């Protein structure tokens, strides 16, 4: 302290104040009322706040760390601080209710009216400083009024008047506490709860360190609160406030007009709870902003309310810079949440902050330059870029440049994934980064007026994208997690799909997938997805799956080939696709594509053979088949060529639901006309008519060797077996006129089929093309009749009988007008006799009396049919028989001989009478044969005549 007893001239100050009161009693009243109002209202609870402001100004002025210490000694409270000591202007400010000792605009009101806050706790105050100390006392002020005879406003004694306590000041010889430059000592009112006052100060300490950056430490009794600031870069600072029971961290950013603070927990910023405007200390202007606002702004004298007309919206300037300084994933925390304003100032500030955020580039986005590369520009270019196209850059936590955009020019896709973001960056322009696209950020982005994208919009935009097929597969992979129900699938109905032929089409429902393809094949008749772009998502969105076989069976392809069978692009696509197809499942009309043969002539594929085809050796010399050019084989491979009909071995024609004999097969119309009904499936071996007759043994081996032709040989009703029976010849005999080696029905009539090297299994397959006794056709009937009539043949009588029986059984199915009846027939005697005079034996007992060379025998059941077939009379119609003699009439059951005969010849129970003749049994014949003959037995109607004794000659009597 200075050695002067009154270094600040307080005696003159007192004299001047007393003189003004003496001259103007109103002035005394005004000073008293003003001081009382400030204590009761404006500064009623701001004791530590106002003294801390003074301490902050002193520290800032001295350029030293601001330290504040609050101590309680009994009923004496002291608040000490470091910094610039008291000077004369400060003394003037302390004693003037309407003046402030501000040295510059940056201070917050050093020793202004805020010092009045001490009166809420004390009327006896000492202001101690290293340059001199002062004493304020309401008691001493009353004494001075009394001593000078100044009348109080109410006319009463000075001792009862509530005189101003801070207008008169006296010097005092008392230095500040050791280590401090200034100390305010308060002798507390009797009604002040000292402990409660300290508790309130402890609650205020942390906030004061936030609001007054010049202060670094505030000690309240034994509790110390400290603050520390660390630079984070790009204007962002970390402010840590530590107390006895708390440790709070804030991110701090300074703009030209304000200071903003965001609370940080576990390294992540969070929106601040509802607060008040801090100007710089707490006011009564309520705010609902996401960050604390600390600003030097005009306030009313009590610093609780804004001065009318204050332009608070200017405080929003630079707020977007604060957002850009934050890590990209944390920036939306600064967006004010929708809600009602808590005050007029709050409403103005919220609107200004939203407008500031909406119109500046700070929102982290995914973007790409014109070449499709991610934009990575220098942060220094951010402002220029933002002005030019709405894009700028921020700095991420690793110091790298982060593309930013003006929010109103950006788009957001909800729940954007990194994979989708990478693909969308240059499709939709500035796109909000994945980390800010979740549900938690929806509200903030809506406040910023960021355009919201849906799946339908992405699908629409995809139609204008030019990318390689692999990009599209990645695109579908990235979209798949978003397709969770039919509704989202419907939104992607306009999704673009790249085709194998290079086109880009709209709508998965219009395309076809074939998962077997490994390389793209341009199919102009079908919308085939490029194999490198194919993905299961397309199936979920309605794409149809089709095999190579289905694509090659497309009616659109059939129509194209019909019109342009020589189109090189079409042929190329067909052959490349055929390499992936099952040849057995392809339509025969693919054979119409035209390919060059070895001479360069274009021929349909089904009129060409592959080089060294085994079929070539089987063909007749004049067969109209060429050899496909070697370069075609080298380019597409034999498998693809065989699939479309180029021959190697026997080809197959197949069709579902055929409509007629339109397959260009030899004699197909005749086969079709003979069918009982139209087939639902058609398959046949083609080119059988081109086989050389001498090559049929090898041809049969070839047909049996391939499964697809072997099964057609096994179908007796199919075209293939039908044609072979009628037209294929071995040694000049059609196959249908050969009997199977295991069949003896026609031994001696038909030649036995004999081709070397055939297995038993293959011989069984060939039953369908050889003579079948149970399926006599007109052609086979002609052959059998001719064989029976040929005297060179010597079939056994039993064979003849069976042949006649099979012919008779088939008579009802045959068109008898087509049969060529020979002049001879095979008689019971085994001789081929003239048909004239022959009769069909229908009653067996006539065989006992008629010549065997006039009888044609099948069996009794089919005799009528055989007679019709051969155009011969029946015996029963040509010869009449009469039994001579009456005989003895009895029954089969009453006559012992009848019982014996039934058991001897295993006869069923007989009907009619049994007539026994003890003498010779004679029958008189008339008609085609006349005379009387003796017979061992005879039937006449239901009567059976037997001569006794029976001549047992091995022939039982007829019983039916």
């Amino acid at each position: 302290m200075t050695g002067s007893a009154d270094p600040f001239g307080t005696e003159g100050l007192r004299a001047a104040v007393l003189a003004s009161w003496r001259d103007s009693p109103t002035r005394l009243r005004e000073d008293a009322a003003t001081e009382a109002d400030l204590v009761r209202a404006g500064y009623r609870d701001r004791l530590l706040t106002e003294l801390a402001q003074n301490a902050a100004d002193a520290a800032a002025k001295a350029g030293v760390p601001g330290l504040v210490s609050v101590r309680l000694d009994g009923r004496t409270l002291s608040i000490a601080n470091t910094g610039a000591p008291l000077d004369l202007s400060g003394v003037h400010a302390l004693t003037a209710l309407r003046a402030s000792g501000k040295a510059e605009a940056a201070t917050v009101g050093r020793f202004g009216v805020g010092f009045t806050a001490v009166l809420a706790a004390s009327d006896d105050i000492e202001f101690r400083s290293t340059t001199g100390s002062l004493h304020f006392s309401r008691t001493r002020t009353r004494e001075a009024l009394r001593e000078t005879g100044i009348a109080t406003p109410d006319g009463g004694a000075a001792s009862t008047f509530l005189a101003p306590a801070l207008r008169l000041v006296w010097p005092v010889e008392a230095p500040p506490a050791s280590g401090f430059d200034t100390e305010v000592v308060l002798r507390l009112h009797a009604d002040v709860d000292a402990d409660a006052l300290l508790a309130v100060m402890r609650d205020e300490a942390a906030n004061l360190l936030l609001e007054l950056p010049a202060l670094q430490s505030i000690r309240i009794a034994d509790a110390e609160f400290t603050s520390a600031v660390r630079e984070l870069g790009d204007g962002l600072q970390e402010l840590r406030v530590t107390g006895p029971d708390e440790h709070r961290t804030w991110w701090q950013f300074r703009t030209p007009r304000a200071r903003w603070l965001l609370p940080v927990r576990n390294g992540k910023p969070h929106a601040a709870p509802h607060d008040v405007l801090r100007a710089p200390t707490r006011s009564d202007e309520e705010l609902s902003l996401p960050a604390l606002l600390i600003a030097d702004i005009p306030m009313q004298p009590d610093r609780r309310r804004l001065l009318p007309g204050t332009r608070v919206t200017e405080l929003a300037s630079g707020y977007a810079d604060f957002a850009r300084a934050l890590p990209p994933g944390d920036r939306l925390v600064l967006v004010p949440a929708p809600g009602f304003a808590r005050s007029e100032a709050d409403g103005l500030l919220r609107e200004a902050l939203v407008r500031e955020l909406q119109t500046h580039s700070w929102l982290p986005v995914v973007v790409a330059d014109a070449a499709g590369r991610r934009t990575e520009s220098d942060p220094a270019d951010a402002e220029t870029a933002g002005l030019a196209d709405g894009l700028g850059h921020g700095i991420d936590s690793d110091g790298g440049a982060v593309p930013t955009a003006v929010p109103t020019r950006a788009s957001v896709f909800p729940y954007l994934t990194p994979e989708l973001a990478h693909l969308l960056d240059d499709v939709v322009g500035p796109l909000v980064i994945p980390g800010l696209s979740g549900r938690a950020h929806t509200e903030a982005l809506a406040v910023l007026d960021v355009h919201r994208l849906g799946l339908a919009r992405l699908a629409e935009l995809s139609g204008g994208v030019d990318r390689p097929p692999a990009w599209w597969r990645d695109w579908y992979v990235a979209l798949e997690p978003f397709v969770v129900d039919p509704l989202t699938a419907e939104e992607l109905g306009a999704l673009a799909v790249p085709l194998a032929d290079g086109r880009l089409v709209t709508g998965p429902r219009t395309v076809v997938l074939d998962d077997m393809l490994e390389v793209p094949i341009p199919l102009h008749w079908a919308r085939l997805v490029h194999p490198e772009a194919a993905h299961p998502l397309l199936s979920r969105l309605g794409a149809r799956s089709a095999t190579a076989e289905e694509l090659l069976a497309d009616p659109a392809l059939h129509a194209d080939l019909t019109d342009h069978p020589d189109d090189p692009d079409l042929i190329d696509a067909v052959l490349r696709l055929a390499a992936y197809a099952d040849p057995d499942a392809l339509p025969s009309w693919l054979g119409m594509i035209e390919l060059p043969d070895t001479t360069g002539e274009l021929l349909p594929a089904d009129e060409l053979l592959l080089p060294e085809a085994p079929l070539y050796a089987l063909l007749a010399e004049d067969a109209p088949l060429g050899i496909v050019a070697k370069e075609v084989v080298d380019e597409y491979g034999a498998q693809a060529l065989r699939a479309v009909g180029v021959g190697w071995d026997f080809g197959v024609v197949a069709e579902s639901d055929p409509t007629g004999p339109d397959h260009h097969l030899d004699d197909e119309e005749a086969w079709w006309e003979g069918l009982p009904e139209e087939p639902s499936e058609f398959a046949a071996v083609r080119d059988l008519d081109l086989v050389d007759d001498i090559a049929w043994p090898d041809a049969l081996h070839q047909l049996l060797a391939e499964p697809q032709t072997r099964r057609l040989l096994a179908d007796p009703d199919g075209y293939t077996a039908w044609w072979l029976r009628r037209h294929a010849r071995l040694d000049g005999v059609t196959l249908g006129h050969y009997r199977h080696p295991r069949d003896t029905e026609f031994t001696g009539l038909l030649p036995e089929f004999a081709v070397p090297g055939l297995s038993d299994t293959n011989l069984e397959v060939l039953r369908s093309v050889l003579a079948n006794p149970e399926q006599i056709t007109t052609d086979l009937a002609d052959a059998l009749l001719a064989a029976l009539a040929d005297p060179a043949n010597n079939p056994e009588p039993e064979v003849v009988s069976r042949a006649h029986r099979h012919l008779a059984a088939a008579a009802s199915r045959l068109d008898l007008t087509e049969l060529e009846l020979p002049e001879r027939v095979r008689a019971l005697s085994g001789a081929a006799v003239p048909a004239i005079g022959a009769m069909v034996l229908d009653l067996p007992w006539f065989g006992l009396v008629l010549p065997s060379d006039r009888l044609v025998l099948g069996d009794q059941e089919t005799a009528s049919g055989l007679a019709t077939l051969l155009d011969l009379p029946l015996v029963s119609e040509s010869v009449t028989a009469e039994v001579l003699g009456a005989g003895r009439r009895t029954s089969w059951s009453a006559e012992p001989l009848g019982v014996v005969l039934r058991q001897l010849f295993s006869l069923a129970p007989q009907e009619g009478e049994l007539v026994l003749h003890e003498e010779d049994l004679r029958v008189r014949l008339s008609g085609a044969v006349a005379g009387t003959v003796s017979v061992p037995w005879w039937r006449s109607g239901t009567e059976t005549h037997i001569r006794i004794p029976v001549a047992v000659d091995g022939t039982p009597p007829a019983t039916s």
Side-chain angles (χ1 to χ4, degrees):
M1 285 181 61
T2 179
S4 172
D6 190 4
F8 299 118
T10 59
E11 184 177 356
L13 292 176
R14 291 194 306 276
V17 172
L18 289 170
S20 66
W21 286 349
R22 181 184 305 110
D23 296 339
S24 176
T26 302
R27 178 65 181 272
L28 174 60
R29 183 173 58 192
E30 290 175 351
D31 286 351
T34 299
E35 187 179 89
D37 289 343
L38 290 174
V39 172
R40 288 193 303 269
Y43 296 96
R44 62 187 180 277
D45 54 0
R46 297 177 62 89
L47 173 59
L48 181 60
T49 296
E50 295 301 327
L51 296 181
Q53 282 186 344
N54 292 339
D57 286 340
K61 184 175 182 179
V64 299
L67 306 177
V68 174
S69 175
V70 178
R71 303 188 315 277
L72 180 64
D73 184 6
R75 300 290 299 171
T76 299
L77 181 70
S78 64
I79 301 97
N81 65 272
T82 57
L86 183 64
D87 58 14
L88 184 59
S89 64
V91 174
H92 290 168
L94 288 172
T95 59
L97 292 177
R98 300 171 182 83
S100 175
K102 287 184 180 179
E104 55 189 33
T107 60
V108 296
R110 176 163 161 79
F111 303 142
V113 293
F115 187 69
T116 311
V118 299
L119 297 179
S122 175
D123 288 339
D124 190 348
I125 305 107
E126 290 186 14
F127 196 110
R128 301 172 182 177
S129 181
T130 56
T131 56
S133 300
L134 304 174
H135 182 218
F136 297 93
S137 171
R138 196 181 303 278
T139 299
R140 294 184 69 177
T141 298
R142 288 196 188 99
E143 291 176 355
L145 289 173
R146 186 173 57 253
E147 290 174 357
T148 57
I150 297 176
T152 60
D154 57 2
S159 58
T160 63
F161 172 62
L162 186 63
L166 300 181
R167 293 288 281 124
L168 301 181
V169 62
W170 289 266
V172 63
E173 293 290 335
S178 176
F180 294 92
D181 299 299
T182 300
E183 182 179 18
V184 177
V185 178
L186 307 177
R187 294 170 182 84
L188 299 176
H189 292 309
D191 60 350
V192 172
D193 186 336
D195 293 333
L197 181 60
L198 284 182
V200 170
M201 289 183 172
R202 277 194 294 269
D203 293 338
E204 294 178 346
N207 276 321
L208 290 172
L209 291 176
L210 294 179
E211 297 160 351
L212 305 170
L215 298 182
Q216 290 187 1
S217 173
I218 298 178
R219 180 183 291 277
I220 309 296
D222 296 331
E224 184 176 10
F225 299 84
T226 61
S227 67
V229 175
R230 180 170 67 93
E231 295 294 333
L232 300 178
D234 201 29
L236 192 65
Q237 296 174 317
E238 180 186 76
L239 173 60
R240 292 179 176 239
V241 176
T242 304
D245 301 318
E246 65 178 336
H247 178 90
R248 290 194 288 172
T249 302
W250 305 76
W251 281 349
Q252 175 175 267
F253 191 85
R254 297 176 186 271
T255 64
R257 299 293 305 275
R259 187 160 53 94
W260 298 91
L261 292 171
L262 262 181
V264 178
R265 295 193 298 273
N266 300 320
K268 293 285 291 182
H270 295 267
H274 291 169
D275 199 66
V276 295
L277 171 66
R278 300 170 188 246
T281 55
R282 295 175 64 84
S283 70
D284 288 346
E285 296 287 357
E286 293 189 70
L287 300 179
S288 59
L289 307 181
L292 301 186
L293 172 59
I294 303 174
D296 291 334
I297 190 169
M299 302 292 292
Q300 294 181 12
D302 60 4
R303 308 201 63 79
R304 291 183 178 274
R305 294 288 180 183
L306 289 165
L307 282 176
T310 300
R311 293 185 295 182
V312 294
T313 57
E314 295 179 354
L315 298 178
S317 177
Y319 190 74
D321 296 332
F322 182 19
R324 188 164 51 241
L326 296 180
D330 298 324
R331 294 181 187 177
L332 291 182
V333 73
L334 288 180
V335 179
F340 293 107
R342 298 173 62 84
S343 65
E344 180 182 2
D346 187 37
L348 294 172
L349 278 170
R350 288 167 59 88
E351 291 180 6
L353 293 181
V354 170
R355 186 165 55 252
E356 166 83 3
L357 292 175
Q358 286 178 336
T359 57
H360 290 76
S361 179
W362 62 273
L363 184 63
V365 292
V366 183
V367 297
D369 61 16
R373 300 181 297 269
R374 281 186 178 275
T375 303
E376 295 291 347
S377 302
D378 191 294
D381 298 332
E383 191 65 28
T384 301
L387 292 174
D389 58 6
L391 298 178
H393 293 81
I395 304 297
D396 65 14
S397 58
D398 298 325
V402 177
T404 63
V406 175
T408 54
R409 302 181 190 178
S411 300
V412 61
F413 182 76
Y415 305 103
L416 179 69
T417 62
E419 295 79 12
L420 187 57
H422 177 70
L423 298 167
L424 279 176
D425 55 9
D426 58 343
V427 173
V428 297
L431 186 69
V432 176
I433 62 173
L436 298 181
S437 302
R439 177 179 296 177
H441 307 100
T442 301
E443 187 176 76
L445 294 174
V447 169
L448 297 171
D449 203 17
V450 176
H451 178 61
R452 185 180 176 91
L453 295 173
L455 288 173
R457 179 57 178 162
L458 295 189
E460 179 184 349
L461 292 171
S462 68
V465 176
D466 182 14
R467 293 292 182 276
W471 183 93
W472 287 98
R473 179 176 176 83
D474 293 341
W475 170 247
Y476 302 142
V477 170
L479 285 177
E480 186 176 29
F482 298 94
V483 184
V484 296
D485 53 35
L487 182 60
T488 52
E490 188 68 27
E491 289 188 71
L492 289 175
L495 189 66
V497 184
L499 302 185
D501 61 6
R503 290 178 293 164
L504 186 69
V505 298
T506 299
R509 289 192 180 98
T510 68
V511 302
V512 176
L513 288 165
D514 187 341
D515 297 335
M516 297 298 294
L517 295 185
E518 300 173 357
V519 295
I521 299 176
L523 307 186
H524 299 296
W525 71 88
R527 289 186 164 195
L528 179 64
V529 178
H530 196 292
E532 294 180 20
H535 186 270
L537 174 63
L538 296 177
S539 294
R540 293 178 58 191
L541 298 179
R544 178 173 62 90
S545 294
T547 62
E549 294 82 5
E550 291 171 329
L551 292 171
L552 288 171
D554 194 320
L557 173 60
H558 192 184
D560 286 350
L561 286 178
T562 301
D563 296 335
H564 306 288
D566 58 347
D567 183 339
D569 292 335
L570 192 60
I571 292 171
D572 176 75
V574 169
L575 291 177
R576 291 171 63 186
L577 186 59
Y580 296 91
D582 177 6
D584 295 340
L586 297 183
S588 59
W589 47 257
L590 288 176
M592 73 173 68
I593 67 172
E594 295 182 357
L595 302 172
D597 66 3
T598 52
T599 68
E601 182 182 0
L602 289 178
L603 294 175
D606 56 10
E607 295 182 15
L608 291 169
L609 296 176
L610 288 164
E612 302 180 359
L615 180 61
Y616 188 76
L618 304 177
L619 300 180
E621 186 175 348
D622 59 350
L625 295 180
I627 302 297
V628 69
K630 181 178 183 300
E631 57 268 23
V632 177
V633 181
D634 293 341
E635 182 173 359
Y636 297 106
Q639 178 181 345
L641 293 170
R642 290 181 63 180
V644 299
V646 176
W648 173 257
D649 51 18
F650 288 99
V652 173
V653 179
E655 182 184 8
S656 296
D657 298 320
T659 57
D662 52 3
H663 306 94
H664 308 292
L665 299 175
D666 180 59
D667 208 14
E668 183 183 3
E669 292 82 359
W671 169 76
W672 189 275
E673 290 174 0
L675 295 176
E677 59 181 11
E678 291 186 354
S680 59
E681 297 288 336
F682 174 82
V685 178
R686 63 183 181 86
D687 299 331
L688 295 174
D689 56 316
L690 303 182
V691 176
D692 195 324
D693 282 346
I694 65 173
W696 272 112
D698 292 332
L700 290 174
H701 277 283
Q702 183 93 0
L703 290 167
L704 291 166
E706 294 295 329
Q708 64 173 350
T709 54
R710 174 190 174 92
R711 64 181 177 83
L712 296 178
L713 262 66
D715 179 10
D717 298 323
Y719 167 84
T720 303
W722 177 89
W723 190 94
L724 289 173
R725 286 196 299 268
R726 290 174 62 100
H727 300 289
R729 294 178 178 275
L730 292 178
D731 297 329
V733 178
T734 58
L735 289 181
H737 295 174
Y738 279 94
R739 65 179 179 84
H740 194 277
R742 294 194 182 89
D743 288 343
T744 60
E745 294 291 282
F746 302 136
T747 302
L749 293 176
L750 299 181
E752 179 182 338
F753 177 80
V755 172
L758 292 178
S759 66
D760 290 343
T761 302
N762 284 336
L763 282 174
E764 285 303 309
V765 173
L766 288 175
R767 279 189 180 276
S768 61
V769 301
L770 301 177
N772 186 348
E774 304 303 326
Q775 294 183 350
I776 302 297
T777 63
T778 301
D779 184 62
L780 180 56
D782 276 334
L784 287 172
L785 291 174
L788 288 168
D790 188 354
N793 293 329
N794 293 299
E796 295 179 351
E798 182 63 27
V799 171
V800 174
S801 175
R802 290 200 300 265
H804 283 151
R805 183 173 67 249
H806 289 304
L807 286 168
S812 60
R813 303 192 306 270
L814 302 177
D815 185 354
L816 301 183
T817 62
E818 295 183 0
L819 288 178
E820 296 183 7
L821 297 178
E823 294 181 355
R824 292 180 174 273
V825 293
R826 186 68 60 169
L828 181 60
S829 63
V833 301
I836 297 175
M839 297 174 289
V840 175
L841 182 62
D842 57 334
L843 300 177
W845 47 91
F846 277 94
L848 301 176
V849 298
L850 298 179
S852 61
D853 58 358
R854 293 191 63 183
L855 298 179
V856 177
L857 177 63
D859 60 19
Q860 191 171 352
E861 289 80 4
T862 61
S864 178
L866 182 61
T868 301
L869 176 71
L870 298 178
D871 194 21
L872 295 176
L874 292 170
V875 169
S876 62
E877 296 174 350
S878 303
V879 179
T880 303
E882 178 186 0
V883 178
L884 302 177
R888 180 169 60 87
R889 296 180 178 276
T890 182
S891 66
W892 286 88
S893 59
E895 179 59 40
L897 180 57
V899 176
V900 171
L901 289 175
R902 284 183 55 210
Q903 293 185 0
L904 178 62
F905 297 108
S906 300
L907 301 178
Q910 299 295 298
E911 296 181 358
E913 292 183 311
L914 181 61
V915 182
L916 302 179
H917 295 265
E918 296 181 359
E919 298 178 355
D920 188 19
L921 175 59
R922 294 176 65 81
V923 176
R924 181 187 296 130
L925 303 177
S926 59
V929 177
T932 301
V933 295
S934 296
V935 294
W937 65 277
W938 198 262
R939 286 294 301 267
S940 178
T942 60
E943 297 177 352
T944 301
H945 297 264
I946 299 177
R947 185 182 66 194
I948 300 175
V950 175
V952 182
D953 59 1
T955 303
T959 60
S960 62

